[in-house]
Amino acid sequence: MNQKLKDQIALVTGADSGIGKGVALELAKEGARVVVNYHHNKVAADEVVTEIKALGGEAIAFQADVSKEPEVLAMFTETIKQYGTIDILINNSGLQKDSKFVDMSLADWQMVIDINLTGQFLCSREAAKEFIRRGVVDTKSRAAGKIICMSSVHEVIPWGGHVNYATSKGGVMMLMKSMAQELAPHKIRVMGIGPGAIQTPINKAAWETPEALQKLLKLVPYNRIGLPEDIGKLATWLVSDEADYITGTTTFIDGGMTLYPGFADNG
Ligand code: BGC
């Protein structure tokens, strides 16, 4: 089979669960060697590595907090030491610390901005340096490097009760677009993915009971919850040469959540 990402090196942050895991597995199926970054769950990260190897792929796990500069630098040094370079960065690590706006602590605001936004800045900066240093290797890809910024429908849908999270994702959009503009002459593509409701641990409360799921699906015209592999397949295509003319834009993958479903029979 002709693999789309043969011999490319991909680093996926937060790849031990949820969307990150789904993306890591799909990239590996297309021939990428994957660095499975995790924050604290080594057992889960090692399982992802084992699953990738069972598919005939190659992967290592690496612990780092993406919001801590020395840890990010160490992760890129190790990636380049292990695999020689890096071709693909998937900025995926993210979390929610939800509360009413008036009750939101500075610590919960800061943590969400640090992980969801500053983490993407730090990892992207290190990846871009290596892409520029190495340049295009045309046996591997038409681009010198590809960066995916995992965003959310909440880069455009305001989200009360989750103001820190929605703000971080609005920031991710502008980070992605501004990097894309600046880095395009270096043949680096930077793209956003805006998932809607995907069945992962981050939103378990929204799908774990039939009642919760029914309520959630009122927001999804296509009437099903998304799966990590839906996102994995999109990410894999976006970083492949089939998408070589795409940069600086977010692809929403949300079963229609951004279509203002409340207006379908109202307004
Ligand atoms: C959030 C989920 C939520 C989804 C749709 C995602 O970015 O992390 O908790 O279910 O957006 O609202």
Side-chain angles (χ1 to χ4, degrees):
M1 197 180 74
N2 201 5
Q3 291 177 306
K4 286 191 180 64
L5 306 175
K6 198 166 165 12
D7 292 334
Q8 296 192 45
I9 314 306
L11 191 160
V12 185
T13 66
D16 55 311
S17 78
I19 289 176
K21 177 177 178 179
V23 173
L25 290 170
E26 294 300 322
L27 293 176
K29 284 184 200 163
E30 290 297 334
R33 291 172 218 169
V34 185
V35 179
V36 174
N37 161 259
Y38 66 100
H39 179 238
H40 53 271
N41 198 342
K42 180 171 183 337
V43 173
D46 286 343
E47 265 169 36
V48 177
V49 169
T50 305
E51 268 189 63
I52 288 175
K53 289 189 173 159
L55 293 167
E58 164 62 30
I60 53 168
F62 195 91
Q63 194 281 333
D65 177 336
V66 293
S67 71
K68 302 273 186 328
E69 189 172 34
E71 297 184 29
V72 170
L73 297 185
M75 178 164 70
F76 278 81
T77 301
E78 183 61 22
T79 300
I80 293 167
K81 193 169 138 210
Q82 282 276 335
Y83 291 127
T85 190
I86 176 171
D87 304 282
I88 296 163
L89 168 66
I90 312 287
N91 277 316
N92 169 77
S93 293
L95 48 74
Q96 292 180 212
K97 288 274 172 197
D98 309 325
S99 70
K100 280 194 180 147
F101 180 64
V102 292
D103 297 331
M104 188 170 285
S105 68
L106 176 59
D108 282 357
W109 166 268
Q110 197 67 59
M111 176 181 272
V112 170
I113 300 294
D114 282 352
I115 303 288
N116 295 13
L117 182 56
T118 307
Q120 295 209 12
F121 155 66
L122 287 172
C123 293
S124 300
R125 190 188 63 188
E126 294 316 302
K129 282 186 204 163
E130 172 62 10
F131 297 160
I132 292 169
R133 183 200 66 76
R134 195 206 55 236
V136 175
V137 178
D138 54 18
T139 48
K140 282 208 283 191
S141 175
R142 294 176 71 181
K146 285 88 53 161
I147 298 175
I148 298 273
C149 295
M150 203 57 73
S151 184
S152 164
V153 291
H154 298 296
E155 77 170 39
V156 293
I157 301 178
W159 206 16
H162 310 73
V163 168
N164 47 3
Y165 183 85
T167 304
S168 74
K169 296 302 186 181
V172 163
M173 176 185 69
M174 260 310 163
L175 172 68
M176 178 277 292
K177 285 180 185 282
S178 301
M179 290 194 298
Q181 190 193 58
E182 184 171 334
L183 298 173
H186 297 286
K187 289 280 178 203
I188 296 169
R189 297 193 293 116
V190 188
M191 296 148 283
I193 292 183
I198 310 299
Q199 191 167 15
T200 72
I202 207 173
N203 59 358
K204 196 157 180 252
W207 53 261
E208 68 181 339
T209 66
E211 299 73 40
L213 184 62
Q214 206 183 19
K215 189 169 163 232
L216 176 68
L217 291 180
K218 290 203 174 99
L219 298 173
V220 187
Y222 201 62
N223 210 36
R224 76 163 170 92
I225 192 163
L227 298 172
E229 71 182 62
D230 290 316
I231 311 299
K233 286 183 196 306
L234 173 61
T236 300
W237 182 75
L238 282 174
V239 299
S240 78
D241 277 359
E242 289 177 6
D244 186 59
Y245 208 47
I246 297 181
T247 192
T249 195
T250 298
T251 303
F252 291 102
I253 171 162
D254 65 353
M257 195 176 236
T258 41
L259 298 174
Y260 298 100
F263 279 78
D265 58 2
N266 203 349

